[in-house]
Amino acid sequence: EVQLVESGGGLVKPGESLRLSCVASGFPFSNYIMNWVRQAPGKGLEWVSSISSSSGYIYYASSVKGRFTISRDNAKNSVYLQINSLRGEDTAVYYCARSGQRFDLWGQGTLVTVSS
Amino acid sequence: DIQMTQSPSSLSAFVGDRVTISCQASQDIGNYLNWYQQKPGKAPSLLIYGASNLQTGVPSRFSGSGSETDFTLTITGLQPEDFATYFCQQHHDLRELTFGGGTKVEIK
């Protein structure tokens, strides 16, 4: 089955770190750009970061640059998002999404809640 | 950044109605525009790519049009399962992908 499965979310305190994971199956993972997109409760979608198929280029939204790090392991069909210095405004469902020219496959999301 | 402005932010419609949602880009993005549908508690799903191309498996009552800065998503003959939130997204600037704010389609 073609799918993306995220994990690693949870309740964390401000200032703490978290590492999100996304495992892909059913398609040639190493051929695709992978992305993280987040959605705060009751809000719209916000693109967070993209990583090319061979990790040759990496982009971040200005709102997360310097605190978030995206990486991938093609041997494990996985993409990761390291989130440091978490803030309340980082509270959101984080989706992993596959792309070429569009986000055509999404995971179910993992919820990150930042609260003291 | 390329700003994407959707209108309206919400609308009410009857089953069977024709619904149009607009998306305006802050600069020329050619046809690098995608549309997504999101139902409560679910991940978004791709409806339209390249401004007017229907994603495989998406019903033909959905259509997209436009280019440069002005785009439209049309649902012809709204069905009960179409009540959801719709987002546009530009991929002209790969360094900073952006979504519109969303349009919630509700039952009248």
Side-chain angles (χ1 to χ4, degrees):
Chain A
E1 182 183 0
V2 176
Q3 63 178 357
L4 299 169
V5 179
E6 302 96 334
S7 61
L11 174 62
V12 295
K13 293 180 170 57
E16 293 185 340
S17 298
L18 207 57
R19 189 195 196 208
L20 307 182
S21 300
C22 170
V23 179
S25 58
F27 66 94
F29 178 77
S30 61
N31 289 358
Y32 286 87
I33 298 167
M34 296 301 296
N35 310 266
W36 289 95
V37 176
R38 69 182 179 181
Q39 187 170 36
K43 302 296 185 182
L45 300 170
E46 180 187 17
W47 168 79
V48 170
S49 182
S50 299
I51 185 167
S52 64
S53 57
S54 60
S55 304
Y57 73 77
I58 288 173
Y59 299 128
Y60 297 99
S62 53
S63 58
V64 306
K65 206 171 291 184
R67 294 191 301 121
F68 288 23
T69 302
I70 192 172
S71 61
R72 66 189 294 162
D73 184 338
N74 288 341
K76 295 183 178 180
N77 287 349
S78 295
V79 60
Y80 308 99
L81 188 68
Q82 176 70 38
I83 310 175
N84 297 329
S85 304
L86 276 153
R87 307 166 178 168
E89 56 263 37
D90 296 320
T91 294
V93 173
Y94 285 74
Y95 294 103
C96 167
R98 180 182 81 174
S99 72
Q101 295 293 308
R102 59 256 190 193
F103 299 120
D104 65 348
L105 180 66
W106 298 69
Q108 84 288 351
T110 187
L111 176 62
V112 173
T113 303
V114 184
S115 175
S116 55
Chain B
D1 299 5
I2 299 175
Q3 307 301 316
M4 305 301 294
T5 303
Q6 274 183 250
S7 61
S9 56
S10 66
L11 65 90
S12 297
F14 291 106
V15 171
D17 280 354
R18 182 175 182 266
V19 168
T20 60
I21 298 169
S22 297
C23 179
Q24 186 169 54
S26 60
Q27 65 186 71
D28 185 349
I29 61 170
N31 67 342
Y32 293 105
L33 190 284
N34 303 319
W35 290 97
Y36 302 86
Q37 178 192 66
Q38 186 180 33
K39 296 182 179 179
K42 301 294 187 182
S45 62
L46 178 66
L47 290 175
I48 302 283
Y49 64 92
S52 61
N53 300 288
L54 200 64
Q55 173 69 352
T56 302
V58 174
S60 58
R61 62 182 178 271
F62 291 93
S63 62
S65 63
S67 64
E68 298 183 359
T69 60
D70 294 293
F71 302 88
T72 301
L73 173 69
T74 301
I75 311 172
T76 303
L78 195 66
Q79 296 299 300
E81 60 267 31
D82 302 335
F83 292 95
T85 301
Y86 296 84
F87 295 92
C88 61
Q89 175 248 328
Q90 65 81 19
H91 61 97
H92 177 80
D93 182 359
L94 296 180
R95 299 166 302 172
E96 190 86 31
L97 300 171
T98 46
F99 290 89
T103 297
K104 186 174 184 179
V105 176
E106 298 177 302
I107 301 173
K108 183 179 284 186

